Amino acid sequence: MWFLLVLLVIILVIAFKSIKIVKQAEVYVIERLGKFYKVADAGLTIIIPFFDHVRSVVSLKQQTMDVPPQGVITKDNVTIKIDTVVFYQITDPAKAVYEIQSLKKGIEYLAITTIRDIIGKMTLDETFSSRDSINDRLRVVLDEATDRWGCKIDRVEIKDITPPADIRDAMEKEMNAERNKRALILESEAQKQSAVMIAEGKKQAAILEAEADKEAAILKAEADKEAKITRATGEAQAIKAVADAKAREIEMVYSAIKNSNPDDRLVQLKSLEALEKVANGEANKVFIPFDATSALSSLGAIKEVMKDK
């Protein structure tokens, strides 16, 4: 009875030692008798107890590693602190376990030396304006160096660059001076543009005013011309109407005289009436035609005969 119990316990222990369940995104590096045997992927894995054992559990996820802030001297002899983070992923678990003692330490030391090499060739201002360039160069160098460790460097980001306190004060003063300079330049440019716009507006106003005066003068001349033409046309029409009326009057008088068959005495009488109207004028001298004098003498003779009778 006791033998069966002991045998059952031994079987359970062996089963527990033999059956391994690997989680998703992880692999087991398994050794057999102290030598690399295989890499067990996610799922159920059977190993031989006392012969096989799990050397390491390796994560295949993308991992991050903070590189401690490092004091770095720039090309212009300024000591700055740089805080960096590295994003990496293990592509070959066996190399990551057997090719280096500690993968994280190797990446950290390599990142520190690479940062010092890159920053040492740059000035302080270049370090602030060239973060993307620094990140790319760090990633390329680290990726090439860690390839033989079964690791791929996806990204390297510089989180912070901290210069000394006196340098920060000088940079703030320089920044304020630059801002004031830009503000003065912008203000002067605004004043210049304002003056130009005002002058341009006055110029356009003067041009428009001159054009308006010109158009007004042209319209006035046209109106005067039309008025003169209209007035002259009216006067001509009036003269023509008067002349037509006079002509009709003369024609009517002539027709009436012609129809009445006038004799010489009527003609002479009308002549005298005309002379009377002429004599009433402002002229100092009046010339009497010969026919009129004969008519007058005839009238005088008639008057004498009338007296005698």
Side-chain angles (χ1 to χ4, degrees):
M1 186 65 182
W2 288 102
F3 176 75
L4 293 176
L5 291 176
V6 171
L7 183 60
L8 180 60
V9 171
I10 292 173
I11 292 173
L12 291 176
V13 170
I14 292 173
F16 179 78
K17 291 283 187 180
S18 300
I19 299 173
K20 299 292 183 184
I21 298 176
V22 184
K23 296 180 181 179
Q24 183 66 34
E26 289 184 351
V27 294
Y28 285 3
V29 178
I30 300 174
E31 293 180 347
R32 176 169 291 179
L33 299 176
K35 185 180 178 180
F36 172 71
Y37 173 58
K38 69 174 183 178
V39 175
D41 296 327
L44 181 64
T45 299
I46 305 297
I47 64 174
I48 301 174
F50 308 109
F51 289 93
D52 299 338
H53 79 281
V54 179
R55 167 66 186 272
S56 179
V57 179
V58 180
S59 175
L60 299 180
K61 298 177 183 178
Q62 188 179 70
Q63 304 179 56
T64 60
M65 183 183 66
D66 286 328
V67 180
Q70 299 295 316
V72 183
I73 300 176
T74 61
K75 185 178 180 180
D76 48 356
N77 296 323
V78 178
T79 302
I80 59 176
K81 287 186 177 181
I82 296 183
D83 192 4
T84 313
V85 60
V86 179
F87 298 83
Y88 69 95
Q89 187 175 16
I90 296 175
T91 57
D92 191 335
K95 289 183 178 180
V97 173
Y98 294 104
E99 294 295 332
I100 188 171
Q101 181 68 29
S102 175
L103 180 62
K104 287 190 174 182
K105 286 293 182 182
I107 295 174
E108 178 182 338
Y109 294 149
L110 187 60
I112 291 172
T113 56
T114 305
I115 289 171
R116 287 178 178 174
D117 179 63
I118 294 174
I119 299 300
K121 298 176 182 178
M122 304 174 68
T123 62
L124 179 62
D125 293 336
E126 290 175 346
T127 59
F128 287 107
S129 60
S130 304
R131 285 197 178 191
D132 292 338
S133 176
I134 296 172
N135 293 337
D136 290 338
R137 292 169 65 182
L138 276 171
R139 186 192 62 79
V140 171
V141 173
L142 292 177
D143 190 44
E144 291 178 354
T146 58
D147 184 62
R148 59 191 180 91
W149 300 338
C151 177
K152 178 177 177 56
I153 305 298
D154 294 324
R155 294 184 65 182
V156 179
E157 294 289 341
I158 295 178
K159 293 194 298 183
D160 191 20
I161 299 176
T162 307
D166 55 344
I167 299 297
R168 288 201 302 270
D169 293 338
M171 291 174 65
E172 289 178 359
K173 291 179 181 179
E174 182 180 0
M175 182 177 60
N176 291 331
E178 186 67 23
R179 286 178 178 175
N180 294 331
K181 176 183 176 182
R182 287 199 299 267
L184 292 175
I185 292 173
L186 291 175
E187 184 177 0
S188 62
E189 287 291 333
Q191 292 177 356
K192 177 182 176 182
Q193 292 179 0
S194 176
V196 170
M197 292 179 67
I198 291 174
E200 188 68 24
K202 291 182 178 179
K203 177 182 176 182
Q204 293 295 331
I207 293 173
L208 293 175
E209 184 177 359
E211 291 179 352
D213 293 340
K214 179 181 176 182
E215 291 179 359
I218 293 173
L219 292 175
K220 183 178 180 182
E222 291 290 336
D224 293 341
K225 178 181 177 181
E226 294 292 335
K228 290 180 179 179
I229 292 173
T230 303
R231 185 166 57 251
T233 303
E235 292 177 354
Q237 292 177 354
I239 292 171
K240 182 179 179 182
V242 172
D244 292 340
K246 290 290 184 181
R248 287 195 298 271
E249 181 182 358
I250 292 171
E251 185 178 358
M252 292 175 63
V253 172
Y254 176 76
S255 298
I257 293 173
K258 184 177 179 182
N259 293 330
S260 62
N261 295 320
D263 55 6
D264 293 337
R265 291 183 179 180
L266 179 60
V267 172
Q268 292 176 357
L269 182 61
K270 290 296 182 180
S271 299
L272 291 176
E273 291 178 356
L275 287 176
E276 183 181 1
K277 291 181 180 179
V278 172
N280 289 332
E282 295 181 355
N284 293 325
K285 296 180 180 181
V286 177
F287 296 93
I288 301 174
F290 178 77
D291 293 338
T293 56
S294 61
L296 289 175
S297 61
S298 299
L299 290 173
I302 295 170
K303 183 181 180 181
E304 291 296 332
V305 170
M306 293 297 293
K307 285 182 178 182
D308 293 339
K309 289 183 178 184

